Amino acid sequence: MDNYEELLKLVLEAVKDKQANTLTKEDLSKIPVGISNRHVHLSEKDIESLFGKDYKLTKFKDLSQTGQYACNEVLTICGPKGAIERVRVLGPERSKTQVEVLMGDCIKLGVKQHVKLSGDLSGTAGVTLIGPKGSVQLEEGVVVAQRHIHMTKEDAKNLDVCNGDIVSIKIDDLRGGIYSNVAIRANDTSKLECHLDIEEANAMGISSKTKITIVK
């Protein structure tokens, strides 16, 4: 009898935990926002060119997406018309170096604006990166990040969207409105979060406490 009651208790606790961790469509309707500033993702080769042989990036703080973190390391970005100092490096290292800037940064640097999803670097502008131990001349890799929403495949199913879909989002704050051309990025590990850059956030008075809604 005691074993039966103990087993029943464990089953009920497991069901309760599952219910607590399962987001309903109503729960998902208000999506949190992550606001990003300019930053750089570096390849292993470029890390060594900028910081020295066998150098490893050092963590400053974890970011909201699993395995992503801001580093202590900073760089200077140089373009044909100007430079931006102390640009944060994000880890971990990537297969290709990618420089994510704001629209206004492109004007200051003197490079063409290319709105792209992360990793889509073909045909983008190049800049020079300067670190404490050297510099790297990029032929391409400068992007203005396209608005996007990270989520799991289960989240996507519950929200009736698919990886790669383009949707609009609604912001209900005082200066809010609707942003279009927002890409859905769904995989097995992402945390639900809409990513906007700081210019986009400021334009509609968005903060880290703002919640957005998908509209189609």
Side-chain angles (χ1 to χ4, degrees):
M1 185 67 176
D2 289 342
N3 288 339
Y4 173 79
E5 291 179 348
E6 184 65 25
L7 178 60
L8 180 60
K9 181 181 179 181
L10 291 173
V11 170
L12 291 173
E13 287 178 350
V15 171
K16 183 178 179 181
D17 288 342
K18 183 176 181 181
Q19 290 175 339
N21 293 324
T22 300
L23 296 175
T24 66
K25 190 167 184 176
E26 183 178 355
D27 295 328
L28 291 168
S29 65
K30 297 295 184 180
I31 298 171
V33 175
I35 302 170
S36 63
N37 204 343
R38 63 185 72 90
H39 58 271
V40 181
H41 301 278
L42 292 173
S43 67
E44 181 179 3
K45 177 183 177 182
D46 289 344
I47 291 171
E48 292 196 346
S49 296
L50 294 163
F51 296 100
K53 184 174 175 56
D54 298 325
Y55 188 88
K56 300 297 180 185
L57 298 174
T58 59
K59 184 187 294 185
F60 171 62
K61 66 176 182 178
D62 288 315
L63 301 178
S64 58
Q65 296 300 316
T66 304
Q68 306 295 307
Y69 53 90
C71 301
N72 290 302
E73 290 76 15
V74 294
L75 298 169
T76 296
I77 305 173
C78 293
K81 293 185 177 180
I84 302 174
E85 298 180 335
R86 298 193 61 77
V87 179
R88 183 76 61 182
V89 176
L90 300 189
E93 64 190 41
R94 293 195 175 185
S95 58
K96 286 187 176 182
T97 292
Q98 176 173 302
V99 181
E100 295 188 35
V101 296
L102 310 174
M103 285 285 192
D105 293 340
C106 292
I107 297 171
K108 181 174 182 177
L109 294 169
V111 297
K112 190 172 180 180
Q113 300 165 343
H114 293 274
V115 179
K116 298 261 194 174
L117 286 173
S118 182
D120 181 9
L121 307 182
S122 177
T124 56
V127 288
T128 299
L129 300 178
I130 300 176
K133 297 294 185 179
S135 63
V136 171
Q137 175 66 53
L138 299 177
E139 296 300 323
E140 62 180 16
V142 181
V143 299
V144 177
Q146 181 177 348
R147 297 183 281 265
H148 57 279
I149 305 174
H150 289 289
M151 62 181 67
T152 64
K153 293 178 181 178
E154 186 65 24
D155 291 338
K157 181 180 178 181
N158 290 332
L159 287 166
D160 194 27
V161 294
C162 297
N163 183 53
D165 282 356
I166 302 297
V167 300
S168 296
I169 58 172
K170 183 179 180 182
I171 300 97
D172 288 326
D173 289 350
L174 182 63
R175 296 185 63 192
I178 292 177
Y179 272 135
S180 58
N181 298 318
V182 184
I184 300 298
R185 309 207 74 178
N187 58 39
D188 292 326
T189 59
S190 289
K191 177 182 176 182
L192 183 65
E193 189 173 55
C194 177
H195 281 190
L196 304 173
D197 70 34
I198 196 167
E199 288 180 336
E200 294 169 322
N202 288 341
M204 288 201 188
I206 296 169
S207 73
S208 59
K209 296 180 180 180
T210 301
K211 306 288 186 180
I212 63 96
T213 304
I214 292 177
V215 294
K216 298 181 182 180

